[in-house]
Every structure is written in structure tokens, then in C-alpha cells.
Amino acid sequence: MIVKRLILKKILKAGYLAEFNLVKREGVYEAALYLNGKHIAGPPLPCLLTSPKDDLTHWMGNHPTVGLTASEAERICAEVESENAVLRHRLKSGWDE
């Protein structure tokens, strides 16, 4: 996994620093969650909460999970999709990355 850049950073109620980074893994871009600098395995994009709570509608991570607002989830998804669109264009055009 290669970290390209930081997408979003937030301080959690428990005091942890959550960073959502744009990473390249197996030839495609995805989002990766880091808590206090440690990678937390989980889905490559935010997932909908089955029972949204307050303004939290999405989650990332897997033990622990981090809640996200709709706008935070949209921002992460937009960044990942944008990078993958550029990558697809380069591959289609015959450019190497």
C-alpha cells in the first residue's frame, strides 16, 4: 500500500487522531484509515451505517470503527473516484504512472 495524500483528518471524542488517506493498493486507489498513525483495516470506502446516529451516516475501519458525516463520506469517495478516473484515463491513453 502506497500512501499518496491525506484526504481528511479529525479528532475523535476519545482523543484519537483519525486520518483518512488516499492510498494505492493492487493498482487502484482507495481510502485507508489511520488512528494515531496506525493503519486500521477495513473497507476501502466509507460504508453506510445501518442505524445512523445524530449526524453520523457512514463508517470506516474494523475494530475500532470511526463514524463519518455524509459530507465527510462524500469527500472521501469523491477523492478516491477522481484519482481512479485519472488512472483509468492514463491506462486508456497508454501512459504509465
Side-chain angles (χ1 to χ4, degrees):
M1 175 171 37
I2 300 168
V3 176
K4 183 163 184 179
R5 71 172 174 270
L6 178 68
I7 299 172
L8 176 73
K9 182 181 349 181
K10 65 191 274 183
I11 303 291
L12 306 179
K13 289 179 184 176
Y16 290 105
L17 172 63
E19 295 176 306
F20 300 87
N21 289 300
L22 179 69
V23 300
K24 190 171 184 183
R25 184 189 327 217
E26 298 179 13
V28 295
Y29 287 99
E30 58 186 51
L33 169 63
Y34 289 80
L35 288 180
N36 288 345
K38 181 182 177 202
H39 178 254
I40 304 298
L45 290 171
C47 297
L48 279 171
L49 284 169
T50 52
S51 300
K53 184 177 179 180
D54 299 325
D55 62 341
L56 301 179
T57 59
H58 292 75
W59 64 274
M60 278 192 75
N62 189 11
H63 300 289
T65 60
V66 174
L68 295 162
T69 64
S71 64
E72 291 169 335
E74 288 170 14
R75 180 176 171 188
I76 292 167
C77 290
E79 291 280 340
V80 171
E81 178 52 38
S82 175
E83 285 298 324
N84 280 318
V86 169
L87 185 59
R88 285 190 300 272
H89 175 74
R90 286 182 174 176
L91 292 173
K92 184 178 175 183
S93 300
W95 294 359
D96 291 327
E97 185 172 42

